[in-house]
Every structure is written in C-alpha cells, then in structure tokens.
C-alpha cells in the first residue's frame, strides 16, 4: 500500500520539518474502509481511523472545504465577531485543524496560544503554512489523535469543524467532546456550540430523472440490439433507492416545513448521547406533489448567535443535503406523513451510520426502510 | 460489510433461481482493494478478487459498458459478420459475461451452445435476462471464476470483453488465456484476437487548466482571508501529476504519431508474457507545443479484421484514454522524445499496474517517473 498508511502517529508529536510530505493521491471515497471486518474490534477501529485520517491528507479535500465560502466565512466571522470577548489573549485548541486555516483566523483575532491538532499528514503542511504566515510563535501543530494529545495547559476555547454529511457522518464529534471534557476550562467556549439536524418531505427531481432515464435506457436496448433487458431497470432503480444520497436539493423540492431530529447543546452533550438519535415526526405536505424522499440538513450556531446553515433555502455548501429515497407516493395538500427516524453509529465501522426510517402516509401502511450511510453515499462520486 | 462479500462461488455452479439478487450498491472505485497487505498472498489475492467481482455486481457499471456503443456495436458486428463461419452451430464460451449481452448476440447469431461465465453476482441477472429472451436452451450461465469452471466440452470460440483502462488494467486477460489453454479447441477463434497498446506525446489541456486553477485558488486566499496558502498549490499539482489519469484526450492534444508498446497475438500470448511489458520509444513532436503528458490508448481486432479503437481520433469510449502527466516542457517542431515505458503487474494487488517511464527530451537529462495505476486513476471519480 502507499506511504499514507503511516499517517497516524500513535504518540502525538509536534510536527517537525523532517516529516515526509505525502505524494500519493488518495480520496475520501477511497479510504479503504471495507475488508476490515475480520479484525478484532480495536484493530478494526484503528484500521478504520488510519484510512479516515489518510483520506484527509488529500489536499483536494481541503480545497473543497476551504472553497466552501459558506463554511469558511461562517468560522471566520464567528471568530472575528467575538474576538474581543472570547479570542484575544485566550488559549484555543483547533480539533482537526487540517491546513490550519481556523487556527490562523484565531491568531489573526489575537489568540495568545493556539494548539492545532490533526491526526492526518496534512498537519505537516499546516505547520509550513503557519510558518509562512508568521504565526509559529502562537500556533503549535500537534500531529496525533485528539484523544491522545497532551496539551501543556487547559484551554478557553475549542474551535472545530467536525461536521460531516447529515451532521453526524464520519463520527468526528465524539473526539471533540473528548477534548472538551479533558481540556476545556469550566465555562469555556465551543465553536460551534449548538447543532440541529432537520428533516422534511421531498420530491427530489433528480431521483425522478434517474428513474425515468434508467427505464428508458434498459428498455431502449430492445430496439437497438433486439434484446429485452428491461428486467434490469427495476433492479437498478431499487439499488439507487436503497442508499443514502448526498446531493443538493432545490428549495422548491422541499414539500413540508422541517422538523428537527436532534438539537445538540455541544457544551453538555456526551458521546453516549450520540450513539442513537431517534425522534418521532409528523410532517404535512405543502401542495399536491409526488413524495419521493426525506430530505435532511443541519445548522450549527456559534457563540453570539451566528448560524452556519446547510438548508436548501441557503447557498450551496460542500455538505449538500442528505436524501433518503422513498417509493413515490402522490400527496394532496396537507397530507400527514408520520413516523420515526433513528440514526445509529454502525458497529462494524464506527464512522458509518445506520439510518432507520418508519413512516406512514396518511392512513396507509407503515413502511420500514433501513439505509446504510457509508462511503458510497456521495453522488458526486457517480 | 455487505452481502456482496459472498459473491464468488468457490465451486462454480449453474446459477439457480434461488440465488439472492444483491441489493447493496457498490462501485468499481470502492472495491476495497486497500488495507489487504497484511494477509498472506493467496488470501490477499482472494480478497482482491472478491472485491473486484463485487464491483461488477453493480448494475451501473454494466450500464456504462453497454451504453458505450463503440464497444457494444463492435462486438455485435464482429459476431454477426462472422456468424456463418465462426458462430452458427458452434460452441462458444463468454468469459466474464456480465449481463450476458455478448452471449445473447452469439445465440442470435446461431450458436449451438454458449457457456456464459461470470464470478460476480451479476450472473444471477444474466440468467434472468437469458430466460426472458428465450435463450435458456442455448446459453448456460455459470457463476464462478473462469479458472475454476468445468465445462462439459471443448469450445470453438472464446468471446470476452476483458479490456481495462490502458488495455491491461484489472488484469483480466490472464483468466481469458487460462480458459483458452484449457477449453479452446485447436484452431478455435478468439474474439478479439489481437490487441495493441499505443502511446504518443500529449499536451492535455485539462492538465494545464487544473494547474492554473489550482495556483489561482490557493493564491486567491491571500486576498480573501489575508492568509498565504500558496505553498499548497505546488503540493496539489505535484500530487495531481503523480498518478495515472483516465481521461478523454482531444485529437488536437496528441502531439506526435503514436508508437506501439505491445502488439499481443491473443491466440498465442501467455500470462507470463504479460507480467512485464517494456518497450523503448522515440517520438517526434508535430508543431511547437507544450509537452505535458504521455497519452496511451488501445485497439483490438476481431477475426475478419473488424477493429475496436479507443484512439483520440475516434468516438469516445468508456475506456477513455490513459494519461501520464509530465513536467511541462516546450517542444519545437520535430523535437525527439525518447525513452522506455514499462508496465508491470503490481505485486501487492495483482489487478493494479505499475507504469515506469524514463524519457529524455532532445538532448536533455533523462527523467524517471514511476506511476501506480490503482483505483484512484479514473478522473470521473473526482
């Protein structure tokens, strides 16, 4: 395998100049998270984590995140708006610092000290960038897992961009909470400090389009090659509808007001609270439309009230929206769709999620669907 | 992991109705080929193969192949053009039959018997399709590895679409040759029967564009966030140029006449011949251009002379072209670029390839580049 295997230092150490920059391209969607199931649980988690951190050594992933101006501007504004109160002359830890951009925002905002932690090899580049920008005296880069890093002091602020698709995918939040419980001073600040996951009814046009295109293609072979391949259309559509999709949803494709699935106070929530998140819901359709999906998105808030939103109502972000495809059902105005959504950490791969949905349209039969949210879920990889 | 793990039947058996259709989406680019290096070699190859065959259970992959009309039409035409001489009343084996489309072409062309072999779960669907089209009396689907299938008789013809990116990626050809040596009657026919890999000098515009866009992005952060992130541009470009890219190349971006790297007579070549393919080359630039790549593509020929070409001069195919990025060098008209290209099977993953290139522009220094061709290589996954 590639040199990215050795990316995780077991004993976290300040990044030295001598560290090898990585030269092998890897991508988030190819993080080798399969094929690990025969190992013991500890070894398995280690392999999963090694692959996970290796994926973050890919510079293109960091470009995607920084290029997302909704995301990057929200952090910058939150840090700068509160600089006098929370940042100036304070000690900050940046959990999963990546290229170090948030740490450098804190340095610009007058932080006395910033500890920038990342388990990925990107930490090597973070250190170079911090030097190039003249912040080496303020920011110390520590390459290691957040749970294993030893800091020389307690901190006033935790800054972290830990959110994954559908808020919780990647399961990075428990690492941030670990750092909070170990290193944050009483009354210290969390950036962000609150996170809400929303759901609504959807008629995703691209699901309809995929379905139609798939039937058209497989049926067309009868004319082109005189072969009936139409059986495969059902199979292809079933597979497409069987997985969680990360995809943009247009504002007009949201069919109901949203309801929240969880509202996390990040100053008090525990990792145990995150293992299973379950909430009954009742949603009412606006207008007469074709229900074909559940749409999910999240908002997070920073101290002072600044909100970073990934809602279909807002500008696009790299998180896009999350979509659970359903069998298509026509809805009348104000049709009630009720049920329960449950999100649990996958036991085989702790960075994956299981999404279980039961729902009933009006007085219809109760339907149960189980989706796995793994590294197949980003439609951009199609 | 998913139910696709059990896709390979060790003892090849005719596909029964009782077989479970797969419901879990997997894709070729996510075939879990990493993280296997700690196993022994046999176990390792088995895991690699399991993942490889699992990827072919994905219906979208089969759509991509069938939708490639250059590919599908070439096979159809080759089979139909030679139907009287090679196919009618003959026994055919289709190695890696997928959905069974080539087997059904042979049935349409009057084959007496077709054995359709595939180790992937797609074999279940092939059987259903063959029944739906009324060819069950002619075509027998065998789910199993080509090396392990027992046929009740020798065959007159081998039909197989075994070609991968850059012809040899995936390393499926040795399986076809194994079937040839074990099951093909003396003088039997191979479809295709000849394969040639070509190379030429290139100025891939998308490499230039990527390079410019990457510098623009990382430098722009100085204006947007008052941070110097330009160090990362070099790193991003170096990583981009460090891997083999599968990408379309425009005809006008080919800077030289091609030369062939190998010319395989598929009736006589052995698996051992394929382990290392190495050929010195001399190429001369047409016009004054910026050399930034080596471009590769392949042609295969069927009995009777019909050619399936993936050349930049021809219609696009799903194989696209293969590109080895080089440092950009300005070339004058007729500048000589000479060197040697070596393609070897990767020892860690026998379906990956190592591509080693040494070259010298005019009287310049000799440059050596080593590329790994793994499942990161398809730019469509970006």
């Amino acid at each position: 395998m590639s040199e990215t295997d050795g990316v995780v230092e077991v004993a976290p150490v300040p990044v030295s100049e001598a560290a090898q920059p990585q030269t092998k391209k890897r991508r988030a969607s190819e993080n080798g998270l399969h094929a690990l199931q025969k190992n013991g649980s500890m070894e398995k988690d280690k392999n999963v984590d090694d692959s996970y951190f290796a994926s973050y050594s890919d510079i293109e992933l960091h470009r995607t995140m920084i290029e997302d101006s909704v995301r990057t501007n929200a952090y910058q504004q939150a840090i700068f708006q509160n600089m006098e109160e929370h940042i100036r002359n304070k000690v900050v830890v940046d959990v999963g610092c990546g290229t170090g951009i948030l740490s450098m925002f804190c340095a610009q905002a007058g932080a006395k000290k910033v500890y920038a932690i990342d388990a990925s090899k990107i930490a090597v580049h973070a250190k170079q960038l911090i030097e190039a920008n003249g912040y080496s005296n303020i920011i110390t880069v520590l390459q290691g897992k957040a749970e294993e890093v030893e800091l020389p002091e307690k901190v006033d602020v935790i800054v972290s961009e830990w959110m994954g698709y559908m808020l919780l995918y990647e399961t990075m939040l428990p690492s941030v909470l670990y750092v909070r419980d170990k290193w944050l001073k009483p009354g210290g600040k969390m950036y962000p400090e609150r996170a809400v996951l929303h759901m609504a009814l959807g008629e995703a046009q691209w699901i309809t389009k995929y379905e139609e295109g798939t039937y058209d293609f497989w049926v067309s072979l009868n004319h082109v090659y005189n072969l009936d391949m139409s059986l495969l259309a059902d199979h292809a559509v079933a597979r497409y509808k069987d997985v969680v999709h990360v995809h943009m949803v247009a504002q007009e494709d949201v069919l109901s007001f949203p309801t929240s699935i969880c509202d996390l106070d990040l100053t008090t929530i525990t990792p145990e609270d995150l293992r299973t998140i379950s909430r009954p819901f009742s949603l009412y359709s606006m207008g007469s439309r074709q229900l074909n999906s559940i749409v999910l998105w999240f908002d997070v808030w920073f101290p002072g009230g600044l909100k970073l939103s990934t809602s279909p109502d807002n500008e696009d972000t790299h998180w896009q929206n999350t979509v659970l495809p359903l069998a298509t059902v026509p809805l009348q105005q104000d049709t009630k769709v009720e049920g329960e959504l449950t999100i649990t950490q996958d036991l085989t791969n702790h960075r994956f999620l299981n999404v279980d949905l039961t729902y009933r349209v009006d007085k219809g039969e109760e339907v149960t669907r189980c989706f796995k949210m793994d590294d197949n879920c980003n439609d951009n990889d199609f």
Side-chain angles (χ1 to χ4, degrees), chain A residues 129-344:
Chain A
L129 290 170
I130 286 159
E131 280 167 8
N133 285 276
Y135 296 125
S136 296
N137 57 332
I138 297 168
I139 307 170
T140 300
V141 179
L142 298 154
Q143 189 178 352
K145 293 189 187 183
E147 292 84 351
E148 295 171 359
V149 163
E150 291 295 322
L151 302 182
E153 58 187 320
K154 294 261 183 175
V155 304
D156 302 293
V157 182
I158 295 177
V159 171
S160 182
E161 199 279 84
W162 51 264
M163 298 85 76
Y165 297 137
M166 202 180 70
L167 188 62
L168 299 169
Y169 184 67
E170 296 185 35
T171 316
M172 180 175 160
L173 181 54
S175 300
V176 179
L177 302 182
Y178 186 96
V179 172
R180 178 198 67 189
D181 295 342
K182 188 167 175 189
W183 297 108
L184 189 64
K185 290 178 191 169
K189 295 293 171 188
M190 300 284 290
Y191 280 69
E193 64 179 7
R194 181 186 169 204
V196 174
L197 180 62
H198 306 278
M199 73 179 279
L201 305 178
E203 180 185 2
Q205 300 296 336
W206 46 269
I207 292 181
T208 312
K209 206 172 145 194
Y210 171 81
E211 233 173 311
E212 289 170 0
T214 299
Y215 282 102
D216 286 351
F217 171 72
W218 289 109
V219 168
S220 74
L221 298 175
N222 215 338
H223 310 295
V224 184
Y225 298 116
N226 194 27
L227 287 172
D228 178 4
M229 309 280 275
S230 58
L231 281 173
L232 293 179
D234 283 333
H235 176 62
V237 169
R239 279 167 80 83
Y240 191 72
K241 291 203 162 189
D242 197 42
V243 290
V244 174
H245 293 264
V246 173
H247 201 291
M248 288 312 304
V249 174
Q251 194 178 348
E252 59 269 25
D253 289 353
V254 177
L255 305 191
S256 71
F257 286 103
T259 188
S260 71
I261 291 302
C262 62
D263 187 338
L264 310 178
D265 179 345
L266 300 171
T267 62
T268 58
I269 188 106
T270 68
E272 291 65 40
D273 296 332
L274 298 170
R275 292 243 167 82
T276 300
I277 285 172
S278 193
R279 183 80 68 97
F281 62 84
S282 296
L283 295 165
Y284 296 86
S285 67
M286 301 184 293
S288 299
R289 297 280 294 273
Q290 302 286 320
L291 172 72
N292 73 3
S293 47
I294 294 293
V295 183
L296 298 124
W297 67 89
F298 65 87
D299 298 334
V300 299
W301 282 262
F302 296 93
L306 192 139
K307 178 168 78 167
L308 160 54
S309 176
T310 68
S311 159
D313 290 347
N314 281 49
E315 271 184 80
D316 295 357
T317 73
H318 81 286
W319 287 288
Q320 304 179 70
N321 308 119
T322 305
V323 177
L324 312 178
L326 308 179
T328 306
V329 182
L331 298 185
Q332 302 304 310
Q333 169 81 35
D334 295 324
T335 303
K336 185 182 184 181
V337 180
E338 59 184 341
E340 185 157 6
L341 186 77
T342 304
I343 300 170
T344 45

Side-chain angles (χ1 to χ4, degrees), chain A residues 106-120:
Chain A
C106 292
Q108 288 175 331
K112 182 170 74 180
K113 184 76 207 170
V114 182
Y115 298 102
I117 305 172
D118 207 297
S120 155

